[in-house]
Amino acid sequence: MDEFAIRKTLADQLFKIIAENGWSNCAAADFMGISRNELFGILNQKKDIRLSTLSLIAAGVGRPIAALICPETAQRFDNVEAIRRIQADLRKLQKGGAVC
């Protein structure tokens, strides 16, 4: 994977996360612990990003770095998260006396 593909994957993942959470870019930057200008540069694939910045972003959005820059890992992470939500919903239903 080349540098430009990584930048595109990172931008795509961040756009997706921002949309899923209903964040404005300002709110997203705050959650990620970076400046709005830095986030803007990353989303527009114009900014080289330091590992320390990528680490802040990953911590802020609750995802491993690999899930932000590798499409396959991002998909696996999304699948695991979906399974966890389904399992949590099933536990709630079972506690409520529902029959599955």
Side-chain angles (χ1 to χ4, degrees):
M1 200 175 212
D2 67 30
E3 173 186 347
F4 298 105
I6 292 171
R7 283 186 190 178
K8 180 176 180 351
T9 301
L10 176 60
D12 291 346
Q13 287 300 308
L14 292 180
F15 276 122
K16 179 180 168 192
I17 291 165
I18 290 167
E20 286 173 351
N21 287 290
W23 292 339
S24 66
N25 284 354
C26 292
D30 288 343
F31 277 106
M32 294 175 200
I34 62 175
S35 73
R36 287 174 232 143
N37 287 337
E38 191 155 27
L39 179 58
F40 181 78
I42 294 167
L43 293 175
N44 288 295
Q45 303 171 41
K46 304 283 186 204
K47 177 136 180 58
D48 282 336
I49 186 168
R50 298 177 64 158
L51 186 55
S52 58
T53 302
L54 190 55
S55 181
L56 282 173
I57 292 169
V61 299
R63 289 177 175 244
I65 291 173
L68 296 174
I69 61 174
C70 176
E72 294 81 11
T73 303
Q75 186 61 53
R76 273 194 302 268
F77 182 84
D78 290 343
N79 292 345
V80 168
E81 288 300 303
I83 290 168
R84 285 185 181 146
R85 284 191 301 274
I86 291 167
Q87 289 172 332
D89 289 345
L90 286 173
R91 281 192 295 276
K92 287 178 191 174
L93 287 172
Q94 289 170 340
K95 286 181 182 177
V99 179
C100 295

